[in-house]
Structure formats: structure tokens, C-alpha cells
Amino acid sequence: MLKYVPVDSPVGRIWVGASPRGVARIWLPGERPCGVLENTEFAELARTQLTEYFALTRRTFTVPLAIPEGAFRADVWRGLAQIPYGKTVSYKDLAEVVGRAKAVRAVASACATNPVAILLPCHRVIYSTGEVGNYRGGAWMKKKLLLLEGANIREEA
């Protein structure tokens, strides 16, 4: 069972869920956390790092993650961790990075199911046209996160 804590942010209240191995889930505003409202070492570390990120004093995360490994989705999630702060890549670019150049839709699906959004920055993946595209928390949230990081995105996107 996950233990979770709230984190207030510029995009609304998010929740960090942690297991004994690390952070396993981020619930975005409007999503309902499940588990037990209780602090843990990993949840508190993630809360601190997310607070620093939103205060513009942190660009990378070092909190241990407890997410599934060994499958295509995990390869995509590891690829997300390589996208620099304030930069964007296309779904096509990410597909090439993970060695599956023709699997653009599967990469998009893996981004959509990223259990630890923000910590693994799926918000940095956009359409090849420069449009922001979809996001679990809504396109407005994706755009806000990118603008927070100073990313160069199309304003009308």
C-alpha cells in the first residue's frame, strides 16, 4: 500500500505516493490518491524536491523511483529522464532514442501512462509540429510546466 503526501504547486495540489522502495506514483490535480495519507522518507524527499523545482531552484530529481522496469514502457520512461530541463523533444525523437523509431504511437502511450509525471518529465515531449499536445493533467498544465522551465514553445499551442 502506498503512503502519500500532498504538495502544493503552481498547477494545483499534487500528491506523492511512495512505497518502501521509492516514489511509485504522482497524482496530478483532479486525480484522487489512493493508499494512506502518511509521510515516508521517500515521499518527503520527493515533496522537498518538487517544492524546489516549482521554486525554480531544482532542475533534476534524485529521489528513488519504484516503478515497473524491463518493458518497453520502462525504456520510454528511462528516456524521459534524459530530456534536459527546459528542453523539448518530439514523440518521434523519443522513439528514436529508445531504439524504436517506428513506434511513435507506442511511445506516446507510454508517456500517457507515466506513473510519476513531473519526476519523469513526460511534459517535455511534444508533437513534431511544435504543438504541446496532450497530458494527463491537461494541455494547460503541460504548457504551464514547460513555461515554468523556460522552454521555447509555441504560444498558441
Side-chain angles (χ1 to χ4, degrees), residues 57-102:
T57 60
R58 174 173 290 275
R59 292 178 170 224
T60 60
F61 298 102
T62 59
V63 63
L65 302 177
I67 58 175
E69 295 183 8
F72 172 74
R73 288 178 192 257
D75 291 341
V76 173
W77 297 337
R78 280 189 290 278
L80 293 173
Q82 304 307 311
I83 304 169
Y85 179 94
K87 303 294 182 192
T88 59
V89 300
S90 70
Y91 291 100
K92 183 178 187 240
D93 294 337
L94 185 56
E96 291 171 359
V97 165
V98 300
R100 300 284 295 271
K102 297 195 183 282

Side-chain angles (χ1 to χ4, degrees), residues 124-145:
R124 296 178 187 155
V125 185
I126 63 173
Y127 294 143
S128 296
T129 61
E131 293 176 87
V132 173
N134 298 321
Y135 190 63
R136 195 174 85 214
W140 71 270
M141 186 182 301
K142 185 174 187 176
K143 182 177 178 180
K144 188 160 185 142
L145 291 169

Side-chain angles (χ1 to χ4, degrees), residues 1-7 13-18 25-38 115 136:
M1 176 175 289
L2 295 181
K3 297 180 179 177
Y4 62 88
V5 296
V7 179
R13 179 166 280 182
I14 61 178
W15 303 86
V16 176
R25 180 78 171 153
I26 298 288
W27 292 278
L28 299 174
E31 296 178 329
R32 185 176 180 167
C34 61
V36 177
L37 180 60
E38 183 180 327
R136 195 174 85 214

